[in-house]
């Protein structure tokens, strides 16, 4: 089995490289707050020496309620993300929801992300794979890890080998998700780098009635477990004040509390991957 190492600017996924942190707010609220949070994360990851990719969604297309905030939309959102990249220089990732979005998104994004609910949408997956960008496919909450092999074949059939596979928890009864840690090893058998979306794994979908809840107190535990399992990247939504976030605040980590958690994760990652 060939092991694919995915390189992007100064970031390397796989091959025993240090874990990459993919982090940022769930949704773009406005230009000013997005730039501020991106700057805070850049300072933190540079100080700790952690490879970093910034994440924020321009449209939250799968909100529970029709009244929920979705973000600024495609064009304005991409314009804000382009400014983030120009100012700070890190790679950028965001979700796409329709093949027509990729035409604009591929001009700005370094990583095109396929949301979990859309991971089996063949036309979307293939169009993203043909973009020339790195593609990150989130495993649906309804899929087994071995089901991702079929999605890998779709991406490869489109000529793409710059692929990341993300575990974000699996449905366990109603309004609950759990992480099966064997999933990391099973998905890694495809040869592609594996990402652990730890903050979405503590979601309680629809758990608050008209919106999603979460158990953020378990994020440190699951983060440590993920890097102990040898994942290539950790996806973590964060915010200056999660209580004020219009989306997914219940399963976010405050930026101010990230440093001790990331420091511990680095120590575990170094031990597991044989670095001193």
């Amino acid at each position: 089995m060939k092991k694919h190492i995915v390189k992007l600017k100064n970031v390397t996924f796989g091959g025993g490289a240090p874990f990459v942190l993919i982090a940022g707010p769930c949704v773009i609220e406005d230009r000013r707050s997005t730039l501020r949070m991106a700057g805070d994360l850049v300072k933190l990851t540079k100080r700790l020496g952690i490879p970093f990719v910034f994440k924020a969604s321009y449209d939250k297309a799968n909100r529970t309620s029709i009244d929920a905030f979705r973000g600024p939309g495609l064009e304005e959102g991409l314009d804000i993300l382009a400014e983030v990249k120009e100012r700070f220089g890190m790679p950028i990732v965001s979700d796409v929801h329709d093949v027509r979005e990729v035409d604009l998104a591929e001009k700005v994004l370094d990583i095109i992300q396929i949301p979990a609910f859309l991971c089996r949408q063949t036309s979307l997956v293939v169009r993203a794979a043909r973009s020339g960008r790195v593609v990150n496919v989130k495993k649906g909450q309804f899929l087994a890890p071995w089901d991702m092999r079929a999605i890998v074949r779709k991406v490869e059939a489109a000529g793409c080998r710059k692929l990341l596979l993300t575990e974000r928890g699996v449905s366990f009864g109603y309004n609950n998700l759990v992480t099966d840690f064997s999933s990391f090893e099973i998905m890694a058998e495809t040869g592609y780098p594996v990402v652990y979306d730890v903050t979405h794994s503590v979601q309680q979908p629809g758990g608050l009635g008209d919106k999603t809840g979460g158990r953020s107190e378990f994020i440190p535990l699951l983060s440590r477990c993920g890097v102990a399992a040898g994942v290539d990247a950790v996806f973590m939504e964060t915010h200056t004040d999660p209580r004020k976030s219009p989306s997914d605040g219940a399963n976010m980590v405050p930026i101010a509390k990230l440093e001790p958690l990331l420091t511990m994760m680095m120590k575990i990652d170094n031990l597991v991957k044989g670095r001193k």
Side-chain angles (χ1 to χ4, degrees):
M1 176 189 62
K2 181 179 180 181
K3 289 286 187 179
H4 296 274
I5 298 174
V6 177
K7 293 188 177 183
L8 182 61
K9 295 185 178 179
N10 59 340
V11 174
T12 299
F13 297 88
F19 77 88
V20 177
L21 178 67
I22 303 173
C26 178
V27 63
I28 296 171
E29 298 168 42
D30 55 62
R31 188 178 301 269
R32 182 178 179 182
S33 67
T34 303
L35 288 166
R36 183 178 69 249
M37 286 187 275
D40 290 343
L41 289 167
V42 166
K43 291 177 184 177
L44 174 60
T45 52
K46 281 187 176 180
R47 184 166 69 248
L48 297 178
I50 296 176
F52 173 53
V53 175
F54 181 74
K55 179 270 168 187
S57 295
Y58 53 77
D59 179 19
K60 300 302 294 183
N62 63 348
R63 299 303 305 275
T64 302
S65 170
I66 189 66
D67 299 316
F69 178 74
R70 289 182 53 171
L74 177 64
E75 294 188 13
E76 182 181 350
L78 287 175
D79 184 66
I80 292 171
L81 292 175
E83 184 173 350
V84 169
K85 183 162 68 170
E86 181 179 2
R87 182 173 299 190
F88 299 110
M90 84 291 270
I92 300 289
V93 60
S94 194
D95 302 292
V96 296
H97 312 91
D98 184 276
V99 291
R100 291 166 294 185
E101 291 183 18
V102 182
D103 294 339
L104 290 177
E106 67 186 4
K107 298 175 182 178
V108 175
L109 304 181
D110 301 284
I111 303 175
I112 293 178
Q113 184 162 281
I114 306 297
F117 285 130
L118 300 177
C119 68
R120 290 185 58 173
Q121 295 296 105
T122 301
S123 296
L124 180 59
V125 170
V126 170
R127 176 63 183 89
R130 290 175 175 165
S131 68
R133 299 301 188 182
V134 175
V135 177
N136 180 32
V137 181
K138 288 195 169 186
K139 180 176 75 63
Q141 301 92 319
F142 44 87
L143 290 184
W146 45 84
D147 293 333
M148 293 296 282
R149 296 168 188 158
I151 297 171
V152 168
R153 287 196 293 271
K154 292 178 184 181
V155 173
E156 291 180 335
C160 177
R161 299 295 186 274
K162 298 185 292 185
L163 174 63
L164 309 173
L165 302 177
T166 295
E167 171 62 62
R168 51 92 73 240
V170 64
S171 295
F172 187 73
Y174 299 120
N175 305 125
N176 194 29
L177 299 171
V178 297
T179 299
D180 175 4
F181 285 90
S182 68
S183 175
F184 301 135
E185 185 65 25
I186 294 168
M187 290 201 295
E189 290 172 359
T190 65
Y192 290 96
V194 173
V195 182
Y196 182 27
D197 180 350
V198 63
T199 48
H200 282 106
S201 295
V202 300
Q203 274 187 336
Q204 295 175 311
L208 298 179
D210 63 345
K211 60 183 178 179
T212 291
R215 301 291 300 275
S216 60
E217 66 268 28
F218 292 124
I219 291 172
L221 169 63
L222 293 181
S223 299
R224 296 193 300 267
C225 291
V227 292
V231 296
D232 301 296
V234 175
F235 182 109
M236 190 178 292
E237 288 188 338
T238 185
H239 194 280
T240 303
D241 187 352
R243 295 170 300 177
K244 296 181 180 179
S245 172
S247 177
D248 279 1
N251 51 270
M252 283 189 186
V253 182
I255 292 175
K257 294 186 177 181
L258 274 178
E259 184 163 355
L261 174 57
L262 292 173
T263 300
M264 177 58 70
M265 290 164 61
M266 290 171 62
K267 292 178 180 178
I268 296 170
D269 187 66
N270 287 336
L271 178 63
V272 169
K273 294 176 181 174
R275 291 187 302 273
K276 295 183 179 180

PDB file of all heavy atoms in Angstrom, residues 187-217:
ATOM      1  N   MET A 187      -9.132   3.823   8.258  1.00  0.00           N
ATOM      2  CA  MET A 187      -9.055   4.815   7.184  1.00  0.00           C
ATOM      3  C   MET A 187      -7.617   5.024   6.724  1.00  0.00           C
ATOM      4  O   MET A 187      -7.366   5.270   5.539  1.00  0.00           O
ATOM      5  CB  MET A 187      -9.687   6.129   7.627  1.00  0.00           C
ATOM      6  CG  MET A 187     -11.202   6.045   7.763  1.00  0.00           C
ATOM      7  SD  MET A 187     -12.049   7.645   7.692  1.00  0.00           S
ATOM      8  CE  MET A 187     -11.432   8.424   9.178  1.00  0.00           C
ATOM      9  N   ALA A 188      -6.666   4.912   7.640  1.00  0.00           N
ATOM     10  CA  ALA A 188      -5.255   5.052   7.265  1.00  0.00           C
ATOM     11  C   ALA A 188      -4.814   3.953   6.304  1.00  0.00           C
ATOM     12  O   ALA A 188      -3.855   4.136   5.538  1.00  0.00           O
ATOM     13  CB  ALA A 188      -4.370   5.046   8.509  1.00  0.00           C
ATOM     14  N   GLU A 189      -5.502   2.815   6.320  1.00  0.00           N
ATOM     15  CA  GLU A 189      -5.169   1.719   5.405  1.00  0.00           C
ATOM     16  C   GLU A 189      -5.426   2.079   3.946  1.00  0.00           C
ATOM     17  O   GLU A 189      -4.960   1.382   3.038  1.00  0.00           O
ATOM     18  CB  GLU A 189      -5.952   0.468   5.791  1.00  0.00           C
ATOM     19  CG  GLU A 189      -5.478  -0.153   7.111  1.00  0.00           C
ATOM     20  CD  GLU A 189      -6.381  -1.275   7.600  1.00  0.00           C
ATOM     21  OE1 GLU A 189      -7.396  -1.566   6.919  1.00  0.00           O
ATOM     22  OE2 GLU A 189      -6.081  -1.866   8.653  1.00  0.00           O
ATOM     23  N   THR A 190      -6.135   3.181   3.690  1.00  0.00           N
ATOM     24  CA  THR A 190      -6.291   3.665   2.320  1.00  0.00           C
ATOM     25  C   THR A 190      -5.002   4.283   1.803  1.00  0.00           C
ATOM     26  O   THR A 190      -4.850   4.495   0.592  1.00  0.00           O
ATOM     27  CB  THR A 190      -7.402   4.727   2.224  1.00  0.00           C
ATOM     28  OG1 THR A 190      -7.014   5.888   2.991  1.00  0.00           O
ATOM     29  CG2 THR A 190      -8.723   4.176   2.748  1.00  0.00           C
ATOM     30  N   GLY A 191      -4.092   4.625   2.704  1.00  0.00           N
ATOM     31  CA  GLY A 191      -2.841   5.258   2.323  1.00  0.00           C
ATOM     32  C   GLY A 191      -2.850   6.765   2.435  1.00  0.00           C
ATOM     33  O   GLY A 191      -1.820   7.409   2.203  1.00  0.00           O
ATOM     34  N   TYR A 192      -3.991   7.344   2.820  1.00  0.00           N
ATOM     35  CA  TYR A 192      -4.091   8.792   2.888  1.00  0.00           C
ATOM     36  C   TYR A 192      -4.077   9.290   4.339  1.00  0.00           C
ATOM     37  O   TYR A 192      -4.499   8.565   5.254  1.00  0.00           O
ATOM     38  CB  TYR A 192      -5.370   9.262   2.184  1.00  0.00           C
ATOM     39  CG  TYR A 192      -5.288   9.082   0.687  1.00  0.00           C
ATOM     40  CD1 TYR A 192      -5.828   7.957   0.068  1.00  0.00           C
ATOM     41  CD2 TYR A 192      -4.631  10.022  -0.111  1.00  0.00           C
ATOM     42  CE1 TYR A 192      -5.721   7.776  -1.311  1.00  0.00           C
ATOM     43  CE2 TYR A 192      -4.521   9.848  -1.480  1.00  0.00           C
ATOM     44  CZ  TYR A 192      -5.067   8.725  -2.072  1.00  0.00           C
ATOM     45  OH  TYR A 192      -4.946   8.557  -3.429  1.00  0.00           O
ATOM     46  N   PRO A 193      -3.596  10.520   4.554  1.00  0.00           N
ATOM     47  CA  PRO A 193      -3.558  11.072   5.918  1.00  0.00           C
ATOM     48  C   PRO A 193      -4.948  11.154   6.535  1.00  0.00           C
ATOM     49  O   PRO A 193      -5.946  11.389   5.841  1.00  0.00           O
ATOM     50  CB  PRO A 193      -2.959  12.467   5.711  1.00  0.00           C
ATOM     51  CG  PRO A 193      -2.191  12.374   4.429  1.00  0.00           C
ATOM     52  CD  PRO A 193      -2.967  11.430   3.572  1.00  0.00           C
ATOM     53  N   VAL A 194      -4.986  10.973   7.855  1.00  0.00           N
ATOM     54  CA  VAL A 194      -6.237  10.950   8.601  1.00  0.00           C
ATOM     55  C   VAL A 194      -6.296  12.142   9.555  1.00  0.00           C
ATOM     56  O   VAL A 194      -5.329  12.437  10.264  1.00  0.00           O
ATOM     57  CB  VAL A 194      -6.392   9.636   9.380  1.00  0.00           C
ATOM     58  CG1 VAL A 194      -7.614   9.674  10.286  1.00  0.00           C
ATOM     59  CG2 VAL A 194      -6.496   8.456   8.407  1.00  0.00           C
ATOM     60  N   VAL A 195      -7.443  12.802   9.570  1.00  0.00           N
ATOM     61  CA  VAL A 195      -7.700  13.959  10.418  1.00  0.00           C
ATOM     62  C   VAL A 195      -8.738  13.566  11.462  1.00  0.00           C
ATOM     63  O   VAL A 195      -9.690  12.845  11.150  1.00  0.00           O
ATOM     64  CB  VAL A 195      -8.231  15.142   9.580  1.00  0.00           C
ATOM     65  CG1 VAL A 195      -8.460  16.378  10.456  1.00  0.00           C
ATOM     66  CG2 VAL A 195      -7.302  15.462   8.417  1.00  0.00           C
ATOM     67  N   TYR A 196      -8.572  14.057  12.680  1.00  0.00           N
ATOM     68  CA  TYR A 196      -9.584  13.837  13.713  1.00  0.00           C
ATOM     69  C   TYR A 196     -10.280  15.153  14.009  1.00  0.00           C
ATOM     70  O   TYR A 196      -9.676  16.086  14.538  1.00  0.00           O
ATOM     71  CB  TYR A 196      -8.948  13.282  14.979  1.00  0.00           C
ATOM     72  CG  TYR A 196      -9.937  12.978  16.094  1.00  0.00           C
ATOM     73  CD1 TYR A 196     -11.262  12.666  15.830  1.00  0.00           C
ATOM     74  CD2 TYR A 196      -9.534  12.982  17.424  1.00  0.00           C
ATOM     75  CE1 TYR A 196     -12.165  12.386  16.847  1.00  0.00           C
ATOM     76  CE2 TYR A 196     -10.422  12.684  18.457  1.00  0.00           C
ATOM     77  CZ  TYR A 196     -11.732  12.399  18.150  1.00  0.00           C
ATOM     78  OH  TYR A 196     -12.620  12.107  19.163  1.00  0.00           O
ATOM     79  N   ASP A 197     -11.551  15.239  13.656  1.00  0.00           N
ATOM     80  CA  ASP A 197     -12.363  16.416  13.968  1.00  0.00           C
ATOM     81  C   ASP A 197     -12.932  16.217  15.371  1.00  0.00           C
ATOM     82  O   ASP A 197     -14.014  15.671  15.549  1.00  0.00           O
ATOM     83  CB  ASP A 197     -13.479  16.556  12.928  1.00  0.00           C
ATOM     84  CG  ASP A 197     -14.368  17.764  13.178  1.00  0.00           C
ATOM     85  OD1 ASP A 197     -14.242  18.377  14.261  1.00  0.00           O
ATOM     86  OD2 ASP A 197     -15.202  18.083  12.315  1.00  0.00           O
ATOM     87  N   VAL A 198     -12.189  16.677  16.344  1.00  0.00           N
ATOM     88  CA  VAL A 198     -12.529  16.374  17.734  1.00  0.00           C
ATOM     89  C   VAL A 198     -13.722  17.181  18.225  1.00  0.00           C
ATOM     90  O   VAL A 198     -14.558  16.675  18.988  1.00  0.00           O
ATOM     91  CB  VAL A 198     -11.294  16.565  18.645  1.00  0.00           C
ATOM     92  CG1 VAL A 198     -10.829  18.006  18.645  1.00  0.00           C
ATOM     93  CG2 VAL A 198     -11.575  16.093  20.055  1.00  0.00           C
ATOM     94  N   THR A 199     -13.861  18.430  17.777  1.00  0.00           N
ATOM     95  CA  THR A 199     -14.947  19.247  18.324  1.00  0.00           C
ATOM     96  C   THR A 199     -16.314  18.841  17.766  1.00  0.00           C
ATOM     97  O   THR A 199     -17.314  18.895  18.482  1.00  0.00           O
ATOM     98  CB  THR A 199     -14.693  20.750  18.104  1.00  0.00           C
ATOM     99  OG1 THR A 199     -14.303  20.991  16.751  1.00  0.00           O
ATOM    100  CG2 THR A 199     -13.585  21.236  19.020  1.00  0.00           C
ATOM    101  N   HIS A 200     -16.369  18.413  16.520  1.00  0.00           N
ATOM    102  CA  HIS A 200     -17.651  17.921  16.019  1.00  0.00           C
ATOM    103  C   HIS A 200     -17.980  16.541  16.584  1.00  0.00           C
ATOM    104  O   HIS A 200     -19.152  16.132  16.585  1.00  0.00           O
ATOM    105  CB  HIS A 200     -17.654  17.886  14.487  1.00  0.00           C
ATOM    106  CG  HIS A 200     -17.859  19.239  13.878  1.00  0.00           C
ATOM    107  ND1 HIS A 200     -16.845  19.938  13.274  1.00  0.00           N
ATOM    108  CD2 HIS A 200     -18.955  20.030  13.809  1.00  0.00           C
ATOM    109  CE1 HIS A 200     -17.296  21.097  12.844  1.00  0.00           C
ATOM    110  NE2 HIS A 200     -18.578  21.190  13.168  1.00  0.00           N
ATOM    111  N   SER A 201     -16.983  15.833  17.058  1.00  0.00           N
ATOM    112  CA  SER A 201     -17.223  14.510  17.633  1.00  0.00           C
ATOM    113  C   SER A 201     -17.899  14.577  19.002  1.00  0.00           C
ATOM    114  O   SER A 201     -18.382  13.557  19.500  1.00  0.00           O
ATOM    115  CB  SER A 201     -15.906  13.731  17.747  1.00  0.00           C
ATOM    116  OG  SER A 201     -15.377  13.459  16.462  1.00  0.00           O
ATOM    117  N   VAL A 202     -17.908  15.755  19.623  1.00  0.00           N
ATOM    118  CA  VAL A 202     -18.599  15.897  20.907  1.00  0.00           C
ATOM    119  C   VAL A 202     -19.942  16.608  20.746  1.00  0.00           C
ATOM    120  O   VAL A 202     -20.576  16.994  21.729  1.00  0.00           O
ATOM    121  CB  VAL A 202     -17.731  16.637  21.953  1.00  0.00           C
ATOM    122  CG1 VAL A 202     -16.442  15.866  22.212  1.00  0.00           C
ATOM    123  CG2 VAL A 202     -17.427  18.073  21.522  1.00  0.00           C
ATOM    124  N   GLN A 203     -20.372  16.771  19.493  1.00  0.00           N
ATOM    125  CA  GLN A 203     -21.680  17.358  19.243  1.00  0.00           C
ATOM    126  C   GLN A 203     -22.802  16.466  19.768  1.00  0.00           C
ATOM    127  O   GLN A 203     -22.659  15.247  19.870  1.00  0.00           O
ATOM    128  CB  GLN A 203     -21.913  17.554  17.743  1.00  0.00           C
ATOM    129  CG  GLN A 203     -21.394  18.838  17.161  1.00  0.00           C
ATOM    130  CD  GLN A 203     -21.833  18.980  15.713  1.00  0.00           C
ATOM    131  OE1 GLN A 203     -22.122  18.017  15.024  1.00  0.00           O
ATOM    132  NE2 GLN A 203     -21.866  20.212  15.234  1.00  0.00           N
ATOM    133  N   GLN A 204     -23.934  17.111  20.034  1.00  0.00           N
ATOM    134  CA  GLN A 204     -25.204  16.420  20.280  1.00  0.00           C
ATOM    135  C   GLN A 204     -26.200  16.988  19.261  1.00  0.00           C
ATOM    136  O   GLN A 204     -26.890  17.966  19.534  1.00  0.00           O
ATOM    137  CB  GLN A 204     -25.676  16.653  21.718  1.00  0.00           C
ATOM    138  CG  GLN A 204     -24.749  16.038  22.758  1.00  0.00           C
ATOM    139  CD  GLN A 204     -25.147  16.367  24.173  1.00  0.00           C
ATOM    140  OE1 GLN A 204     -25.394  17.518  24.505  1.00  0.00           O
ATOM    141  NE2 GLN A 204     -25.210  15.353  25.009  1.00  0.00           N
ATOM    142  N   PRO A 205     -26.231  16.387  18.060  1.00  0.00           N
ATOM    143  CA  PRO A 205     -27.046  16.950  16.971  1.00  0.00           C
ATOM    144  C   PRO A 205     -28.517  17.088  17.362  1.00  0.00           C
ATOM    145  O   PRO A 205     -29.148  16.115  17.794  1.00  0.00           O
ATOM    146  CB  PRO A 205     -26.862  15.935  15.847  1.00  0.00           C
ATOM    147  CG  PRO A 205     -25.565  15.252  16.162  1.00  0.00           C
ATOM    148  CD  PRO A 205     -25.504  15.182  17.650  1.00  0.00           C
ATOM    149  N   GLY A 206     -29.035  18.298  17.246  1.00  0.00           N
ATOM    150  CA  GLY A 206     -30.416  18.553  17.624  1.00  0.00           C
ATOM    151  C   GLY A 206     -30.676  18.420  19.109  1.00  0.00           C
ATOM    152  O   GLY A 206     -31.824  18.407  19.555  1.00  0.00           O
ATOM    153  N   GLY A 207     -29.589  18.357  19.883  1.00  0.00           N
ATOM    154  CA  GLY A 207     -29.727  18.076  21.310  1.00  0.00           C
ATOM    155  C   GLY A 207     -30.382  19.174  22.114  1.00  0.00           C
ATOM    156  O   GLY A 207     -30.831  18.936  23.242  1.00  0.00           O
ATOM    157  N   LEU A 208     -30.445  20.382  21.547  1.00  0.00           N
ATOM    158  CA  LEU A 208     -31.078  21.497  22.255  1.00  0.00           C
ATOM    159  C   LEU A 208     -32.404  21.873  21.608  1.00  0.00           C
ATOM    160  O   LEU A 208     -32.890  22.992  21.763  1.00  0.00           O
ATOM    161  CB  LEU A 208     -30.132  22.702  22.287  1.00  0.00           C
ATOM    162  CG  LEU A 208     -28.808  22.486  23.024  1.00  0.00           C
ATOM    163  CD1 LEU A 208     -27.956  23.740  22.971  1.00  0.00           C
ATOM    164  CD2 LEU A 208     -29.045  22.060  24.478  1.00  0.00           C
ATOM    165  N   GLY A 209     -32.986  20.920  20.896  1.00  0.00           N
ATOM    166  CA  GLY A 209     -34.282  21.152  20.273  1.00  0.00           C
ATOM    167  C   GLY A 209     -34.160  21.816  18.926  1.00  0.00           C
ATOM    168  O   GLY A 209     -34.178  21.149  17.893  1.00  0.00           O
ATOM    169  N   ASP A 210     -34.003  23.147  18.925  1.00  0.00           N
ATOM    170  CA  ASP A 210     -33.900  23.867  17.664  1.00  0.00           C
ATOM    171  C   ASP A 210     -32.463  24.158  17.269  1.00  0.00           C
ATOM    172  O   ASP A 210     -32.205  24.888  16.317  1.00  0.00           O
ATOM    173  CB  ASP A 210     -34.691  25.179  17.725  1.00  0.00           C
ATOM    174  CG  ASP A 210     -34.147  26.142  18.782  1.00  0.00           C
ATOM    175  OD1 ASP A 210     -33.363  25.706  19.651  1.00  0.00           O
ATOM    176  OD2 ASP A 210     -34.534  27.332  18.740  1.00  0.00           O
ATOM    177  N   LYS A 211     -31.510  23.580  17.992  1.00  0.00           N
ATOM    178  CA  LYS A 211     -30.103  23.724  17.630  1.00  0.00           C
ATOM    179  C   LYS A 211     -29.294  22.592  18.241  1.00  0.00           C
ATOM    180  O   LYS A 211     -29.772  21.848  19.103  1.00  0.00           O
ATOM    181  CB  LYS A 211     -29.550  25.082  18.074  1.00  0.00           C
ATOM    182  CG  LYS A 211     -29.619  25.347  19.566  1.00  0.00           C
ATOM    183  CD  LYS A 211     -29.104  26.751  19.870  1.00  0.00           C
ATOM    184  CE  LYS A 211     -29.208  27.070  21.355  1.00  0.00           C
ATOM    185  NZ  LYS A 211     -28.697  28.428  21.652  1.00  0.00           N
ATOM    186  N   THR A 212     -28.071  22.480  17.779  1.00  0.00           N
ATOM    187  CA  THR A 212     -27.182  21.401  18.207  1.00  0.00           C
ATOM    188  C   THR A 212     -26.513  21.740  19.534  1.00  0.00           C
ATOM    189  O   THR A 212     -26.081  22.878  19.744  1.00  0.00           O
ATOM    190  CB  THR A 212     -26.121  21.139  17.123  1.00  0.00           C
ATOM    191  OG1 THR A 212     -26.765  20.564  15.993  1.00  0.00           O
ATOM    192  CG2 THR A 212     -25.039  20.189  17.612  1.00  0.00           C
ATOM    193  N   GLY A 213     -26.428  20.754  20.403  1.00  0.00           N
ATOM    194  CA  GLY A 213     -25.698  20.911  21.658  1.00  0.00           C
ATOM    195  C   GLY A 213     -24.322  20.282  21.552  1.00  0.00           C
ATOM    196  O   GLY A 213     -23.854  19.908  20.477  1.00  0.00           O
ATOM    197  N   GLY A 214     -23.658  20.161  22.694  1.00  0.00           N
ATOM    198  CA  GLY A 214     -22.319  19.576  22.688  1.00  0.00           C
ATOM    199  C   GLY A 214     -21.778  19.400  24.086  1.00  0.00           C
ATOM    200  O   GLY A 214     -22.270  20.000  25.035  1.00  0.00           O
ATOM    201  N   ARG A 215     -20.746  18.542  24.193  1.00  0.00           N
ATOM    202  CA  ARG A 215     -20.106  18.260  25.474  1.00  0.00           C
ATOM    203  C   ARG A 215     -18.644  18.684  25.377  1.00  0.00           C
ATOM    204  O   ARG A 215     -17.741  17.851  25.252  1.00  0.00           O
ATOM    205  CB  ARG A 215     -20.214  16.769  25.805  1.00  0.00           C
ATOM    206  CG  ARG A 215     -21.634  16.227  25.889  1.00  0.00           C
ATOM    207  CD  ARG A 215     -22.393  16.770  27.092  1.00  0.00           C
ATOM    208  NE  ARG A 215     -21.736  16.432  28.349  1.00  0.00           N
ATOM    209  CZ  ARG A 215     -21.907  15.279  28.990  1.00  0.00           C
ATOM    210  NH1 ARG A 215     -22.714  14.345  28.484  1.00  0.00           N
ATOM    211  NH2 ARG A 215     -21.302  15.055  30.134  1.00  0.00           N
ATOM    212  N   SER A 216     -18.409  19.980  25.408  1.00  0.00           N
ATOM    213  CA  SER A 216     -17.060  20.503  25.201  1.00  0.00           C
ATOM    214  C   SER A 216     -16.084  20.063  26.284  1.00  0.00           C
ATOM    215  O   SER A 216     -14.862  20.093  26.079  1.00  0.00           O
ATOM    216  CB  SER A 216     -17.087  22.030  25.121  1.00  0.00           C
ATOM    217  OG  SER A 216     -17.596  22.598  26.320  1.00  0.00           O
ATOM    218  N   GLU A 217     -16.594  19.632  27.452  1.00  0.00           N
ATOM    219  CA  GLU A 217     -15.693  19.204  28.529  1.00  0.00           C
ATOM    220  C   GLU A 217     -14.884  17.965  28.152  1.00  0.00           C
ATOM    221  O   GLU A 217     -13.870  17.668  28.779  1.00  0.00           O
ATOM    222  CB  GLU A 217     -16.484  18.945  29.818  1.00  0.00           C
ATOM    223  CG  GLU A 217     -17.459  17.787  29.752  1.00  0.00           C
ATOM    224  CD  GLU A 217     -18.855  18.189  29.344  1.00  0.00           C
ATOM    225  OE1 GLU A 217     -18.989  19.203  28.623  1.00  0.00           O
ATOM    226  OE2 GLU A 217     -19.823  17.501  29.735  1.00  0.00           O
TER     227      GLU A 217
END
